[in-house]
Amino acid sequence: MNPIQVGLLGIGTVGSGTFQVLRRNQEEIKRRAGRGIEITMVADLDTARAQAVVGEGVQVVADARAVIANPEIDIVVELIGGYGIAKQLVLEAIAAGKHVVTANKALLAVHGTEIFAAAHAKGVMVAFEAAVAGGIPIIKALREGLTANSIQWIAGIINGTTNFILSEMRDKGLDFDTVLKEAQRLGYAEADPTFDIEGVDAAHKVTLMSAIAFGIPVQFDRAHIEGITKLAAQDIKYAEQLGYRIKLLGVTKRVAKGIELRVHPSLVPSKRLLANVEGAMNAVVVNGDAVGTTLYYGKGAGSEPTASAVIADLVDITRLHTADAAHRVPHLAFHPDAMSDLKVLPMAEVVTSYYLRLRVADEAGVLAKVTGLLAGAGISIDAVLQREADEVGGEGSTQTDLIILTHDTREGTLDDALAQLQALPTVLAPIVRIRKEELS
Ligand code: HSE
């Protein structure tokens, strides 16, 4: 059988890796896929650089639409990124009857409903293993490997840049800004790292996992998103003293009232494997009712790790593209006519536990007042740590830090209690609140 023909839209880091791995492992990939897979056309604005990557045997063009219009191309791989032209090209490729592989989490998290509907109507596949956690086959695991389960929750470190920054802050006791500059120098963080450090990239990824896990439409606009820019080195140190590490987690949970969908810094017990995922690595924990807790770990970015996921999708499509469309694995794991209308809950309805840090006047009765107020709100305290005033504010200091760990409580209840605590004259600075996930 003739090889299946692939056209790449964009040949940067991931595109180059895809070309190289496909060429290096072509024989084994062919034995797995049942037929060869060849990149025969590439579109990139920098045609000279693209031609240098792929050599003379591959047609290179500047116009992506020339790839989509080529009747010989079976699969279009979109590696442009973003919501703009990438969206138009993906929709045009679908309309032209091409299968699509994309690493574009932003596009699918925001416009997935429209794109998957178009693909379903046209009977083509849109595959996106590379969109979540790079080389870790988490989409495959959720959509197929765990298909027997009622998934209960997912918690993941799904942004390597922020995990690198948090690891360095903890290891070296440095502040956020210093480590961000280092991450940019090393090439981990983009020149504009906003999506990474503000939690948006992680929210795109957890939105996709949530849809697949619970059979709900992608709802990025309902996700709660907090990044790591306001995290103080001091809180990383206090958390460590209490037996926790702070990670930027993407969390999605099935609870009685609906679905939680959130990204924020979280305290994770140091003894959990997830707490020990360091540097730019990614890891995802999935809990299913039958399987229990499972963990997936690996490189979440980079040329060949991401290419590994892109090529896995190319092989899947090659195996399935002659199959009756109704017998393929549904894009979001559940059949489009069997999606759930479980609603994504507002943060006030989320139930979790908390780390609180209060800068207080170091005087009699302050601790009693704070704990009394929490008790009055029905918030149960798990642990309290009070620092020496001298250690916090220098010799002779009249201020100290009070660190409180709570048991599970409703976020709306905590918000009300925090407003009351903040109004106390003995609370001298904005209260720091970081959520805590026991992951048990
Ligand atoms: N910028 C992402 C990260 C990689 O830092 O993990 C691509 O998703």
Side-chain angles (χ1 to χ4, degrees):
M1 198 184 279
N2 289 340
I4 201 146
Q5 296 200 24
V6 177
L8 295 191
L9 309 186
I11 186 156
T13 308
V14 177
S16 306
T18 302
F19 186 79
Q20 278 148 14
V21 175
L22 208 46
R23 190 170 52 181
R24 186 170 76 232
N25 296 340
Q26 61 181 312
E27 275 313 310
E28 273 189 75
I29 290 168
K30 182 177 177 182
R31 282 163 55 209
R32 290 188 173 120
R35 78 189 264 202
I37 299 174
E38 281 180 9
I39 294 170
T40 54
M41 196 170 181
V42 172
D44 198 288
L45 291 177
D46 189 344
T47 50
R49 192 188 48 80
Q51 197 77 68
V53 172
V54 297
E56 286 311 314
V58 177
Q59 188 186 357
V60 174
V61 293
D63 179 10
R65 292 194 166 92
V67 175
I68 294 170
N70 182 344
E72 302 297 319
I73 296 291
D74 303 293
I75 308 174
V76 170
V77 180
E78 183 274 307
L79 298 171
I80 297 168
Y83 318 102
I85 185 70
K87 181 186 175 198
Q88 285 173 35
L89 294 172
V90 164
L91 288 172
E92 286 175 29
I94 291 168
K98 313 291 186 194
H99 302 294
V100 173
V101 174
T102 179
N104 192 338
K105 54 248 155 192
L107 174 64
L108 295 180
V110 176
H111 298 291
T113 302
E114 179 184 352
I115 288 168
F116 295 132
H120 183 69
K122 194 74 188 174
V124 297
M125 290 172 268
V126 174
F128 53 98
E129 184 63 71
V132 181
I136 304 174
I138 189 64
I139 300 297
K140 189 82 163 175
L142 286 170
R143 209 162 62 160
E144 299 178 51
L146 299 176
T147 199
N149 289 265
S150 169
I151 307 263
Q152 301 302 300
W153 55 263
I154 299 173
I157 295 170
I158 45 181
N159 182 270
T161 304
T162 45
N163 203 51
F164 171 81
I165 292 172
L166 292 176
S167 296
E168 290 286 290
M169 286 175 75
R170 186 182 72 83
D171 273 0
K172 301 182 178 160
L174 296 172
D175 64 24
F176 172 78
D177 291 323
T178 308
V179 181
L180 174 61
K181 285 197 189 91
E182 175 71 353
Q184 283 172 313
R185 195 182 63 76
L186 289 171
Y188 286 126
E190 307 286 332
D192 178 2
T194 315
F195 269 22
D196 292 316
I197 62 179
E198 296 293 357
V200 177
D201 176 72
H204 288 143
K205 294 166 181 169
V206 75
T207 296
L208 290 171
M209 292 197 288
S210 180
I212 294 172
F214 305 122
I216 56 173
V218 286
Q219 292 170 74
F220 174 72
D221 55 336
R222 307 293 305 271
H224 172 86
I225 309 172
E226 275 174 50
I228 62 167
T229 52
K230 296 191 183 74
L231 211 54
Q234 203 176 13
D235 293 309
I236 294 178
K237 193 179 75 184
Y238 288 151
E240 188 94 13
Q241 289 168 5
L242 288 158
Y244 293 85
R245 291 197 181 160
I246 299 183
K247 296 291 181 188
L248 183 71
L249 292 189
V251 177
T252 186
K253 263 184 202 175
R254 183 200 301 266
V255 295
K257 289 183 178 172
I259 301 294
E260 295 181 7
L261 180 57
R262 49 195 168 95
V263 171
H264 48 70
S266 305
L267 272 75
V268 178
S270 304
K271 63 187 176 198
R272 297 266 179 265
L273 289 169
L274 200 61
N276 294 281
V277 172
E278 298 291 6
M281 299 303 282
N282 281 199
V284 183
V285 181
V286 183
N287 181 275
D289 66 335
V291 73
T293 301
T294 58
L295 171 70
Y296 309 83
Y297 171 86
K299 289 185 178 154
S303 177
E304 293 206 358
T306 312
S308 167
V310 168
I311 296 168
D313 282 343
L314 292 176
V315 171
D316 264 357
I317 292 175
T318 302
R319 287 172 175 152
L320 288 173
H321 89 123
T322 52
D324 177 347
H327 297 128
R328 295 181 188 143
V329 182
H331 291 114
L332 292 177
F334 292 74
H335 279 274
D337 58 0
M339 300 290 274
S340 159
D341 59 1
L342 277 172
K343 73 176 165 83
V344 175
L345 298 172
M347 273 313 273
E349 292 297 325
V350 163
V351 174
T352 188
S353 54
Y354 296 86
Y355 161 104
L356 308 174
R357 172 166 60 84
L358 294 82
R359 176 60 60 93
V360 293
D362 190 18
E363 58 188 53
V366 172
L367 179 60
K369 184 83 185 161
V370 168
T371 54
L373 202 147
L374 289 172
I379 296 168
S380 169
I381 292 171
D382 181 27
V384 177
L385 175 71
Q386 183 170 340
R387 307 311 305 166
E388 294 282 343
D390 288 358
E391 187 192 319
V392 172
E395 208 171 308
S397 170
T398 55
Q399 302 180 5
T400 192
D401 279 339
L402 194 56
I403 295 106
I404 296 172
L405 300 184
T406 76
H407 286 298
D408 275 354
T409 186
R410 208 182 128 268
E411 179 132 338
T413 307
L414 187 85
D415 287 343
D416 294 344
L418 287 187
Q420 290 181 53
L421 284 174
Q422 194 67 73
L424 294 175
T426 46
V427 173
L428 306 173
I431 298 169
V432 173
R433 170 253 302 270
I434 306 174
R435 299 173 188 88
K436 180 160 82 65
E437 299 297 326
E438 292 295 329
L439 303 178
S440 48

